[in-house]
């Protein structure tokens, strides 16, 4: 098994992405697809995420991280097969393949919400140093389970910053500040935003108090370590229900 065969088995073809989507990824660092989850699916996601968070309590998200004012969950592939789509949707996989152009695997699948007056993050890429174009190795897909309204802790991006050769820590006096070129997501629930993780991004403060439940599916080139090492966490019942292609993607064989 290799990534090319895995993508074919998971429904990716040469025309899964439009030329416009590929150009947006290359030039701006991201593109947006509305309606990948319908309202029936969204209701199931909301119910299950809230149920898991209530069940895990103080342990929620601790497989990886804890953030004050921002409910977190992770290791979600082991917690419900409803989340499989976040790693296996053909549009997402085709975009990751386009960015990397080589073998890749999952990195982690995390959930983040923001409580009122919390959520502001510094602008950051998902790597500590600038990466030259053509050497990108991380990609994210943001699954919006609630709308991002621009006031409820929406994600912000700086388009084209993945091409800048700079890190915001050095390029800005304070990388918590707004950037003159940033865009703040204002998209309906069910939208997926696929982005080059080397583009500068971060959460904003939730000033409206509305929910902004979001799933972050991350991918990484195959030679790098995963953020969540799936083979250390995979449960027998999860492994048994996964196809060989999905097991390869998770790197659990």
């Amino acid at each position: 098994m290799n990534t090319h065969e895995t993508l074919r088995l998971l429904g990716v073809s040469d025309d899964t992405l439009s030329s416009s989507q590929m150009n947006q990824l290359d030039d701006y660092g991201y593109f947006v697809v509305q309606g990948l989850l319908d309202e029936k699916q969204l209701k199931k996601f909301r119910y299950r995420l809230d149920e898991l968070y209530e069940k895990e309590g103080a342990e929620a998200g601790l497989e990886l991280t804890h953030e004050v004012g921002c409910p977190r969950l992770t290791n979600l592939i082991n917690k419900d097969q409803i989340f499989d789509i976040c790693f296996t949707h053909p549009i997402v996989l085709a975009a990751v393949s386009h960015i990397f152009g080589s073998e890749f695997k999952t990195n982690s699948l995390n959930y983040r919400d923001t409580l009122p007056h919390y959520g502001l993050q510094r602008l950051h890429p998902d790597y500590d140093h600038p990466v030259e174009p053509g050497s990108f190795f991380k990609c994210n897909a943001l699954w919006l389970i609630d709308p991002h309204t621009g006031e409820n802790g929406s994600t912000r991006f700086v388009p084209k910053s993945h091409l800048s050769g700079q890190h915001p820590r050095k390029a800005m006096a304070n990388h918590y500040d707004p950037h003159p070129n940033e865009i703040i997501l204002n998209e309906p629930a069910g939208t997926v935003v696929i982005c080059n993780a080397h583009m500068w991004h971060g959460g904003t403060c939730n000033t409206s108090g509305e929910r902004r439940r979001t799933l972050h599916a991350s991918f990484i080139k195959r030679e790098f370590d995963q953020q969540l090492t799936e083979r250390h966490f995979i449960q027998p019942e999860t492994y048994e229900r996964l196809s060989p292609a999905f097991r390869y993607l998770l790197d659990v064989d």
Side-chain angles (χ1 to χ4, degrees):
M1 185 81 66
N2 56 38
T3 296
H4 178 78
E5 178 69 4
T6 296
L7 296 184
R8 185 186 67 80
L9 290 170
L10 293 173
V12 178
S13 63
D14 291 341
D15 59 356
T16 298
L17 292 187
S18 68
S19 58
S20 174
Q21 288 169 327
M22 289 187 281
N23 290 337
Q24 287 178 62
L25 270 180
D26 293 339
D27 297 340
Y28 294 94
Y30 75 101
F31 71 87
V32 176
V33 185
Q34 294 184 352
L36 286 195
L37 294 175
D38 62 29
E39 190 56 40
K40 183 178 180 180
Q41 290 172 300
L42 288 167
K43 287 179 180 179
K44 290 180 178 178
F45 270 82
R46 290 168 188 149
Y47 177 83
R48 186 61 175 135
L49 288 165
D50 287 350
E51 183 180 55
L52 284 169
Y53 188 75
E54 182 176 357
K55 177 182 176 181
E56 295 187 22
E59 301 298 312
L62 289 185
E63 295 99 329
L64 281 180
T65 188
H66 184 264
E67 182 181 0
V68 175
C70 296
R72 292 268 198 169
L73 291 165
T74 194
N75 190 27
L76 289 170
I77 288 298
N78 284 297
K79 295 175 181 177
D80 200 308
Q81 65 183 20
I82 190 175
F83 303 117
D84 290 3
I85 189 174
C86 299
F87 275 151
T88 59
H89 196 287
I91 291 178
V92 172
L93 293 175
V96 178
S97 180
H98 177 74
I99 290 174
F100 294 162
S102 63
E103 293 279 307
F104 67 88
K105 59 188 174 183
T106 64
N107 190 33
S108 61
L109 178 60
N110 306 319
Y111 158 81
R112 184 177 185 263
D113 196 2
T114 57
L115 302 180
H117 312 300
Y118 288 94
L120 179 64
Q121 295 177 316
R122 70 194 190 285
L123 282 170
H124 62 280
D126 285 351
Y127 187 57
D128 226 16
H129 304 286
V131 174
E132 291 296 320
S135 299
F136 302 124
F137 60 89
K138 286 187 178 181
C139 179
N140 296 331
L142 278 60
W143 294 75
L144 277 54
I145 309 304
D146 294 309
H148 278 227
T149 66
E151 298 176 341
N152 64 341
S154 300
T155 302
R156 57 179 176 150
F157 297 123
V158 180
K160 302 187 177 184
S161 55
H162 62 303
L163 304 174
S164 69
Q166 293 182 300
H167 193 289
R169 181 179 55 239
K170 294 184 177 180
M172 299 175 64
N174 183 343
H175 52 314
Y176 283 93
D177 287 345
H179 189 279
N181 297 330
E182 75 180 27
I183 62 100
I184 298 178
L185 280 184
N186 191 334
E187 297 288 345
T191 296
V192 176
V193 184
I194 303 165
C195 58
N196 186 319
H198 301 276
M199 178 180 61
W200 304 356
H201 60 280
T204 60
C205 183
N206 185 345
T207 58
S208 72
E210 297 173 316
R211 301 291 300 274
R212 53 83 75 201
R213 287 163 287 198
T214 304
L215 288 160
H216 303 80
S218 177
F219 299 83
I220 196 164
K221 279 191 174 182
R222 206 159 184 93
E223 64 263 32
F224 292 91
D225 293 334
Q226 292 168 308
Q227 184 181 36
L228 186 83
T229 306
E230 295 288 357
R231 67 182 63 190
H232 294 167
F233 286 90
I234 196 77
Q235 298 297 307
E237 59 271 23
T238 304
Y239 184 90
E240 289 301 320
R241 72 170 171 78
L242 299 178
S243 69
F246 199 177
R247 293 174 190 168
Y248 182 82
L249 189 63
L250 289 170
D251 195 24
V252 293
D253 280 325

